[in-house]
Amino acid sequence: MVRDGDRVVVGSRGPPVLYESGFAPRRYVPRQDVDRSALTPAEGRTFCPYKGMASYYEIGSARRVAWSYEDAWDEVRRISVMVSFEPDEIQVDLDGVRQSLDPGQGVVSHGADRNLDPDEEAAHGRPA
């Protein structure tokens, strides 16, 4: 469950988990389980060499706390119809336990994973 104060943003059960080396496991919930009226598109996108281009969302006063890969690479195509949430920025509970990141599991923007301007974004294509 994801909450913004008293507002329930997601009431999904058993969302799949995506594991990546060096990062915290991320749960992705189906878009149909998300109150889309709670999501406001945020500026900027980032590129992940494993998943593709990420779009971000704001929820209430929390900035860039949700993201999606609307056209994820074929290897992770399943997450194209899903949204993930940052548990250190918005309340994310799993089986009644509040989620948080362990030290060192946050993502730091750098190199190709930084925010891209439109010209840079257009230059990034799918890997061969």
Side-chain angles (χ1 to χ4, degrees), residues 21-77:
S21 297
F23 295 114
R26 299 293 184 169
R27 288 176 168 47
Y28 282 79
V29 298
R31 288 183 198 277
Q32 68 262 21
D33 293 350
V34 178
D35 175 357
R36 288 184 236 174
S37 70
L39 303 179
T40 303
E43 284 190 39
R45 294 173 58 168
T46 57
F47 174 76
C48 171
Y50 304 106
K51 297 181 291 290
M53 296 299 297
S55 298
Y56 291 86
Y57 304 94
E58 300 172 350
I59 299 173
S61 62
R63 302 292 170 241
R64 294 174 61 108
V65 297
W67 62 90
S68 66
Y69 291 87
E70 295 171 15
D71 189 23
W73 297 152
D74 290 341
E75 295 79 6
V76 291
R77 177 72 52 204

Side-chain angles (χ1 to χ4, degrees), residues 2-124:
V2 177
R3 291 180 175 274
D4 177 31
D6 291 335
R7 183 180 190 177
V8 174
V9 178
V10 176
S12 193
R13 293 187 176 268
V17 180
L18 183 64
Y19 293 91
E20 293 184 71
S21 297
F23 295 114
R26 299 293 184 169
R27 288 176 168 47
Y28 282 79
V29 298
R31 288 183 198 277
Q32 68 262 21
D33 293 350
V34 178
D35 175 357
R36 288 184 236 174
S37 70
L39 303 179
T40 303
E43 284 190 39
R45 294 173 58 168
T46 57
F47 174 76
C48 171
Y50 304 106
K51 297 181 291 290
M53 296 299 297
S55 298
Y56 291 86
Y57 304 94
E58 300 172 350
I59 299 173
S61 62
R63 302 292 170 241
R64 294 174 61 108
V65 297
W67 62 90
S68 66
Y69 291 87
E70 295 171 15
D71 189 23
W73 297 152
D74 290 341
E75 295 79 6
V76 291
R77 177 72 52 204
R78 182 177 177 196
I79 67 168
S80 290
V81 294
M82 299 183 173
V83 180
S84 192
F85 298 85
E86 183 61 69
D88 281 0
E89 303 295 330
I90 194 161
Q91 183 177 341
V92 177
D93 296 307
L94 182 63
D95 295 330
V97 177
R98 177 101 187 241
Q99 302 296 293
S100 64
L101 298 178
D102 290 334
Q105 289 187 320
V107 176
V108 177
S109 293
H110 63 283
D113 202 14
R114 71 191 189 294
N115 289 325
L116 301 174
D117 67 35
D119 291 334
E120 289 177 300
E121 184 175 329
H124 285 279

